[in-house]
Amino acid sequence: MIPEIGHYALVLALLLAIVQSSVPMIGAARGNAAWMELGRTAAYGQLLMVGTAFAALTYAYVVSDFSVLNVVQNSHSAKPMLYKVSGVWGNHEGSLVLWVLMLALFGAAVAWFGGNLPPSLKARVLGVQGMIGVGFLIFMLATSNPFIRVFPVPADGNDLNPLLQDPGLAFHPPFLYLGYVGFSLAFSFAAAALIEGRVDPAWGRWVRPWTLVAWSSLTLGIGMGSWWAYYELGWGGWWFWDPVENASLLPWLAGTALLHSAIVVEKRDALKTWTVLLAILTFTLSLVGTFLVRSGVLTSVHAFAVDPERGVAILILLLLATGGGLLLYAMRASSLKVGGLFAPVSREGALVLNNLLLSVACAVVLIGTLYPLLLDSMTGQKISVGAPFFNATFVPLMIPLVAVMAVGPLLAWKRGDLAGALGRLKFAALVTVVCVLWALYINGVKPVMALVGIAMAAWAFFGAVAELADRVKLFRIPLGQSWDRAKGLPRGAWGTTLSHAGLGIAIAGMVGTSAWLTEDIRVMNIGDTASVAGYEFTLEKVESGRVDNYTTETGTFLVSSGGDFVARLHPEQRWYPVARMETTEAAIHTTFYSDLYAVLGDRSEQGEGWVVRIYHHPLVPWIWFGAIVMVLGGLVSLSDRRFRLGVPVRRAAKAPAAAAQPAE
């Protein structure tokens, strides 16, 4: 009965989504307040119905209801409760329920928090959000119904993919989806603005908090995915340029550009058409990522729920959303008034350069990801595009981006003083040189690009610190007054500082583990010792055991340095009898500076000893600490009270300054 309730709740959600997508749009066109208000009610109702469906599916997993096909295929009675629950979204059908739940959640959030929006704009935003809901609900009910019954009822299930039975994968998808789906609101705001023919500073302020929510969630989701790939798959801690990883990087890059261009719309009433286009493209790239992961066109260790037929349906959804958005843009963008003017050297100019570099970087990743697929489909030729391509094309774009990131916030709006801004960054430049010399002393001159990377990291971090110090006039006025100024700063300013500093920390981690990683792969017997980066790893014992729904073979390594105890590591090999799959669980000892990483492999072919992999990863914990600081920056910015207030009316602009350029 519970699964049937879930099924019919989805049908009701579809009917409510149809109402939400049509009635408020008509009401906005006719100026009918009651019809516009109906969109709000429909959004709440849709959230209630999808929430009911999600709860019904979760209940089926928790009680191991093997009369439901989806539970049979992705769960097992012996599975720990955490993975029974996370198994709900660990497959195609369940993850779609989570997707539409978040879509409905964002729609209801606009209905709830959108009291400061003009009624017509709010109605149109809800209408577009409803249209997206209609598309996904039809897709789910027609091709991916999670409540299909099976008869006869099997005694037990087939279990969840063992690679997904991990805390990192239990929580990683919800945050990733929150990011993907969150950008749907930016899309809806863009489409609504095009229909109304009005984009102004108020629109920029409305779209920013929703974009911040999506960006922060996606950053956290990507960070958790990277962490999982590091300790579960042993991918070295830094980007592997796997196509599925790239699929999440694409909307992150576009969303970062959108976040910055929306600031220009709000502050200077400029870059309006570009920002609207970015909003459309960012959600499009979210759908592209969804299509790539689920369609079967990619081969990846964590591309799941591969089904070409359903991939075609996602492709149709993608074409409808993208085609509709771009058609609307082509028809209505010219009706948007051109915004303010600014000089090339200005804060707007720096943000435009930021947008340009992020967009080109996004295009590079997109081409590198899709080119092998297109070549294969057109000529049958199979090639792979890996790290050498991306390192040669992506990294050079990041160098000027980071360089400008520290300078831009110190430039004035409309016309900036570049020499003055650089003068206020003297401290950051000095510390950057010191950091490079320190890296040179510790690790030598090779690889040279590692020194460039450390310079980027230090410049980003200390540039952010210098910008904050400049705002509070640190050491130029008494410390008490600086503290008072710091307390009075808008939270958005603190958020910017944290996010930029977090990126600098993460870059240092990426450089450290990429350039100065040390490894040793060998066969070890009990009592053998291997040395890596000044640490001695002694294999003390290997024991067998059974835990929950798998058996284990656990190694114990004593790690010491110069005869002093450092840690005891316990890497595992796991065997899942139901899924008939083996996994390896790395053991990691983390310090402020580095990770010591041990993996117990199979027995050697001669049957004596085990193949072990031992690594020393310098600075690698900084990658995830930097990601957390970036997310914290996003959340602090989100708490800025200015997002809850209207945009102040600006005075009429004076005559444009000489050498100023059009905003579009």
Side-chain angles (χ1 to χ4, degrees):
M1 185 63 183
I2 298 293
E4 280 69 33
I5 291 175
H7 185 189
Y8 288 117
L10 286 179
V11 175
L12 288 175
L14 172 60
L15 297 176
L16 286 166
I18 292 172
V19 171
Q20 182 183 332
S21 65
S22 55
V23 176
M25 295 289 268
I26 298 170
R30 295 181 176 180
N32 187 318
W35 286 30
M36 286 191 280
E37 185 63 17
L38 191 59
R40 185 165 168 262
T41 307
Y44 292 150
Q46 191 187 161
L47 176 61
L48 178 64
M49 290 300 106
V50 178
T52 301
F54 185 81
L57 186 61
T58 303
Y59 176 80
Y61 269 86
V62 168
V63 301
S64 295
D65 182 355
F66 295 120
S67 68
V68 178
L69 179 61
N70 187 255
V71 180
V72 176
Q73 292 175 334
N74 301 287
S75 190
H76 189 273
S77 57
K79 202 164 60 173
M81 184 55 71
L82 172 63
Y83 304 123
K84 284 186 179 180
V85 175
S86 64
V88 174
W89 53 82
N91 59 88
H92 172 78
E93 292 82 1
S95 66
L96 269 179
V97 180
L98 181 64
W99 181 288
V100 294
L101 176 64
M102 290 181 174
L103 199 62
L105 185 64
F106 276 107
V110 170
W112 182 264
F113 295 108
N116 59 347
L117 295 173
S120 61
L121 180 67
K122 180 179 170 181
R124 286 174 170 130
V125 169
L126 288 173
V128 177
Q129 199 72 10
M131 291 178 192
I132 299 170
V134 169
F136 273 95
L137 284 164
I138 289 177
F139 168 57
M140 186 162 52
L141 288 167
T143 71
S144 312
N145 187 347
F147 296 108
I148 294 175
R149 295 279 196 174
V150 59
F151 185 83
V153 178
D156 217 325
N158 300 334
D159 209 356
L160 178 69
N161 182 345
L163 285 175
L164 304 181
Q165 295 184 41
D166 180 90
L169 257 288
F171 300 108
H172 155 65
F175 286 107
L176 207 60
Y177 290 178
L178 206 58
Y180 282 166
V181 180
F183 286 128
S184 70
L185 265 185
F187 176 88
S188 298
F189 268 96
L194 287 171
I195 294 170
E196 293 215 337
R198 177 188 170 193
V199 174
D200 54 18
W203 182 89
R205 180 166 290 189
W206 290 322
V207 83
R208 272 183 65 200
W210 302 109
T211 307
L212 260 174
V213 170
W215 181 87
S216 301
S217 302
L218 189 57
T219 303
L220 185 58
I222 290 175
M224 292 177 75
S226 165
W227 179 54
W228 170 79
Y230 168 65
Y231 72 77
E232 186 72 20
L233 303 179
W235 281 2
W238 169 225
W239 211 256
F240 198 68
W241 298 111
D242 176 79
V244 175
E245 289 186 329
N246 293 348
S248 62
L249 181 62
L250 290 169
W252 187 87
L253 291 168
T256 305
L258 171 62
L259 208 51
H260 288 84
S261 64
I263 296 174
V264 182
V265 175
E266 180 191 342
K267 302 290 185 186
R268 294 286 301 135
D269 197 19
L271 294 184
K272 292 186 288 191
T273 55
W274 168 246
T275 304
V276 167
L277 181 61
L278 261 182
I280 295 171
L281 293 180
T282 302
F283 183 55
T284 297
L285 290 170
S286 295
L287 294 178
V288 168
T290 307
F291 168 71
L292 291 177
V293 173
R294 296 163 187 272
S295 62
V297 299
L298 291 180
T299 301
S300 167
V301 68
H302 52 327
F304 72 103
V306 172
D307 186 332
E309 291 186 5
R310 292 189 292 201
V312 171
I314 298 175
L315 185 61
I316 293 172
L317 272 177
L318 167 64
L319 293 176
L320 286 174
T322 307
L326 292 179
L327 179 62
L328 194 58
Y329 179 82
M331 293 171 61
R332 302 303 299 270
S334 59
S335 66
L336 302 179
K337 294 180 181 178
V338 175
L341 306 179
F342 56 85
V345 179
S346 62
R347 193 176 298 188
E348 299 97 316
L351 288 168
V352 168
L353 184 56
N354 156 297
N355 264 236
L356 180 65
L357 292 167
L358 283 169
S359 301
V360 174
C362 186
V364 165
V365 177
L366 184 66
I367 292 169
T369 305
L370 295 184
Y371 177 67
L373 305 176
L374 295 174
L375 190 67
D376 185 18
S377 63
M378 295 173 69
T379 68
Q381 183 181 353
K382 295 188 181 301
I383 65 167
S384 63
V385 175
F389 166 80
F390 291 107
N391 291 340
T393 54
F394 187 81
V395 174
L397 293 168
M398 293 298 104
I399 295 173
L401 180 72
V402 172
V404 173
M405 194 174 76
V407 180
L410 291 169
L411 294 171
W413 293 106
K414 198 172 180 179
R415 176 182 288 277
D417 175 11
L418 182 59
L422 292 175
R424 283 178 281 173
L425 286 168
K426 283 187 292 190
F427 167 76
L430 177 64
V431 181
T432 297
V433 171
V434 171
C435 289
V436 172
L437 291 175
W438 171 80
L440 189 63
Y441 173 75
I442 297 293
N443 299 293
V445 72
K446 291 183 179 179
V448 175
M449 283 306 295
L451 300 179
V452 175
I454 289 297
M456 290 169 59
W459 179 250
F461 181 84
F462 291 107
V465 173
E467 193 266 337
L468 181 65
D470 184 71
R471 278 176 174 269
V472 301
K473 298 185 176 180
L474 190 64
F475 303 130
R476 286 187 282 150
I477 59 177
L479 286 178
Q481 293 182 25
S482 290
W483 175 244
D484 290 338
R485 288 179 68 88
K487 288 191 294 184
L489 283 178
R491 291 184 184 175
W494 283 102
T496 300
T497 299
L498 282 170
S499 297
H500 287 186
L503 180 62
I505 295 170
I507 290 174
M510 299 166 196
V511 172
T513 193
S514 300
W516 300 312
L517 162 74
T518 309
E519 67 176 353
D520 189 354
I521 302 175
R522 64 170 66 193
V523 174
M524 293 182 72
N525 286 297
I526 305 298
D528 286 354
T529 297
S531 296
V532 171
Y535 294 92
E536 289 80 41
F537 290 71
T538 302
L539 180 59
E540 292 186 326
K541 59 184 177 181
V542 177
E543 298 176 306
S544 300
R546 181 177 182 84
V547 181
D548 296 324
N549 57 333
Y550 57 87
T551 60
T552 64
E553 196 165 50
T554 305
T556 299
F557 286 89
L558 171 66
V559 184
S560 59
S561 177
D564 297 329
F565 173 81
V566 174
R568 215 169 230 108
L569 301 180
H570 304 282
E572 284 184 356
Q573 269 199 311
R574 294 180 180 175
W575 169 251
Y576 291 80
V578 177
R580 304 198 61 75
M581 185 170 174
E582 190 175 74
T583 65
T584 58
E585 304 295 319
I588 303 171
H589 176 68
T590 299
T591 66
F592 173 78
Y593 176 72
S594 65
D595 270 3
L596 299 173
Y597 187 110
V599 177
L600 180 71
D602 297 328
R603 284 181 178 272
S604 67
E605 294 182 356
Q606 291 73 27
E608 296 180 357
W610 291 261
V611 177
V612 301
R613 291 182 287 134
I614 301 169
Y615 300 91
H616 177 248
H617 288 288
L619 300 181
V620 73
W622 294 23
I623 294 177
W624 302 293
F625 178 66
I628 292 171
V629 174
M630 291 166 69
V631 173
L632 182 63
L635 296 179
V636 170
S637 292
L638 200 57
S639 68
D640 195 318
R641 63 187 295 273
R642 291 176 297 176
F643 288 139
R644 299 189 292 276
L645 302 175
V647 177
V649 178
R650 297 191 303 123
R651 295 177 181 174
K654 296 179 180 178
Q661 293 187 350
E664 306 294 347

